Amino acid sequence: MAWEKIKLFYQWSAEEALLSSAYWYGVALFIFLLLCFWSLRKLKRELVPVFSDEEGDVQITPHALEELVRKTCEDIKEVYSPRTSIVKNGQSLRLLVRLRVHSECLVKDTRSKLKNKLETVLVENLNFSNFGGVDIVIKGFQDKE
């Protein structure tokens, strides 16, 4: 009996399929599975290449890189709440740092301090071979605590 229903399912015309609730449940299930696979792929974070030599590759996790930027920002008293995004432009890697600054700070000087510290840590200490620079977005101002 079940086999006959399956045979009938495959023999449906387009009009019959569109009128059937089973068809729409199947389409909804397919879209749900696609969204699940897409979200799993987005949640998986790739390793960021640092450098490569004859002894092997050195890579860093995005979380470790974000932590490194956060700890670097802690040394600058005018900077609060840094959030980092990693942007890949071809082979080059750029950091987008969103942060809050002290309301009375000199933004140009603070930007220079932050860029110099990050470039020192990433290029000189970690030997990033594909580091393309730092972009800074000020997302707000912090009052004195």
Side-chain angles (χ1 to χ4, degrees):
M1 192 70 167
W3 182 250
E4 290 175 11
K5 289 182 179 179
I6 292 173
K7 277 186 180 178
L8 291 175
F9 176 75
Y10 287 113
Q11 294 174 353
W12 283 353
S13 67
E15 291 175 3
E16 291 173 322
L18 290 174
L19 293 175
S20 171
S21 62
Y23 172 79
W24 290 110
Y25 288 132
V27 169
L29 179 64
F30 179 73
I31 291 171
F32 175 74
L33 289 174
L34 281 177
L35 289 173
C36 286
F37 287 128
W38 177 77
S39 63
L40 285 175
R41 184 178 166 110
K42 282 292 186 186
L43 290 176
K44 179 184 171 190
R45 301 184 99 183
E46 296 180 12
L47 294 175
V48 177
V50 176
F51 68 90
S52 180
D53 59 10
E54 61 276 351
E55 294 181 19
D57 295 338
V58 176
Q59 299 175 337
I60 189 170
T61 64
H63 179 71
L65 191 57
E66 291 166 5
E67 184 179 343
L68 183 65
V69 171
R70 184 179 50 79
K71 288 187 182 221
T72 303
C73 289
E74 285 176 358
D75 294 340
I76 303 172
K77 63 180 180 175
E78 296 93 358
V79 174
Y80 303 93
S81 307
R83 298 283 181 247
T84 307
S85 299
I86 301 165
V87 181
K88 292 182 181 178
N89 292 336
Q91 296 297 324
S92 177
L93 177 98
R94 294 188 66 81
L95 295 178
L96 176 64
V97 182
R98 297 175 184 271
L99 48 85
R100 299 176 69 86
V101 295
H102 189 277
S103 58
E104 296 176 6
C105 83
L106 301 172
V107 174
K108 198 170 189 176
D109 293 340
T110 304
R111 180 192 66 180
S112 297
K113 281 185 210 175
L114 181 60
K115 281 188 173 188
N116 291 336
K117 280 187 158 234
L118 285 174
E119 286 176 0
T120 300
V121 169
L122 294 174
V123 177
E124 293 177 17
N125 297 354
L126 287 177
N127 295 321
F128 258 82
S129 60
N130 58 348
F131 184 65
V134 179
D135 296 318
I136 297 173
V137 175
I138 298 174
K139 64 180 183 179
F141 294 93
Q142 184 86 18
D143 290 330
K144 288 185 179 180
E145 293 179 358

